[in-house]
Amino acid sequence: ILFREGSVDPDTYVLALPIYGQQSWLAVLVYIGGLSAATSMVIFEVVAMSTMVSNDLILPMLLRFRSSFRDDLSGVILFLRRGIILGLLMLGYLYYRLIGESHTLVSIGMISFAAVAQFAPSILLGIYWTQASRRGAMGGLLAGFLVWGHTLLLSSFAQSGWIAHRFLSEGPWG
């Protein structure tokens, strides 16, 4: 209502409102609050992801070859998690530099939310449908992620100029 269409980036509405009302102290407070929330979300998610990757992917492989390590793996695990944290942060920064600049925060959030939403049918059907099978759940997840990848992820690549728009309009084989 206050701003003409396209005059303010939708990601900055919360900052633009106090500036529009000439309340610079409130704009600074909003900025500090947003910065602190964004920082805490990044820290929480990266630590959670590093724990999941180390516990579910790397540690099972390490435990198979445990004879080559000493009995106390705490130092190795800590080193691995720190490396995973650094790798995840670098991947996020790489995504931002290569693709994220051409998208608003809302569109990146939609791509992420749609990826996570792929798990909902298999989780809900797994809880309530007793005849559901693992093969069916994996097939549904694979099909959903293929559709997600083609419709959302590849379109973000096309919008960023990484692939030709023709790939989306004409398909992978023309």
Side-chain angles (χ1 to χ4, degrees):
I1 295 173
L2 295 175
F3 307 113
R4 290 187 340 264
E5 177 119 8
S7 66
V8 175
D9 184 20
D11 294 337
T12 62
Y13 278 150
V14 176
L15 278 173
L17 284 172
I19 292 171
Y20 178 80
Q22 298 176 349
Q23 300 293 324
S24 58
W25 65 272
L26 186 57
V28 170
L29 193 65
V30 166
Y31 178 77
I32 291 171
L35 181 65
S36 117
T39 304
S40 65
M41 286 190 318
V42 167
I43 291 170
F44 177 79
E45 292 301 322
V46 169
V47 169
M49 284 291 296
S50 73
T51 302
M52 286 188 278
V53 167
S54 67
N55 286 352
D56 295 331
L57 298 177
I58 296 175
L59 284 178
M61 289 186 296
L62 278 178
L63 291 176
R64 283 189 189 151
F65 305 109
R66 188 173 181 188
S67 62
S68 62
F69 292 102
R70 57 186 183 272
D71 287 336
D72 184 20
L73 293 177
S74 59
V76 174
I77 294 170
L78 186 61
F79 178 76
L80 284 172
R81 285 190 182 162
R82 288 178 180 165
I84 294 167
I85 288 171
L86 183 63
L88 288 171
L89 288 174
M90 296 310 281
L91 282 173
Y93 182 70
L94 183 69
Y95 178 83
Y96 166 73
R97 293 296 295 167
L98 297 176
I99 295 167
E101 290 181 340
S102 62
H103 293 290
T104 62
L105 186 61
V106 172
S107 63
I108 293 172
M110 183 192 67
I111 292 170
S112 303
F113 182 75
V116 172
Q118 300 296 319
F119 293 104
S122 61
I123 290 172
L124 291 175
L125 289 175
I127 291 172
Y128 295 112
W129 187 25
T130 58
Q131 284 81 26
S133 69
R134 179 176 179 227
R135 232 181 235 157
M138 293 303 286
L141 283 173
L142 181 64
F145 276 113
L146 287 174
V147 170
W148 168 82
H150 183 71
T151 58
L152 291 176
L153 195 60
L154 287 181
S155 67
S156 71
F157 290 164
Q159 188 176 359
S160 299
W162 274 66
I163 60 174
H165 283 280
R166 234 175 355 106
F167 182 80
L168 292 176
S169 61
E170 298 175 10
W173 298 280

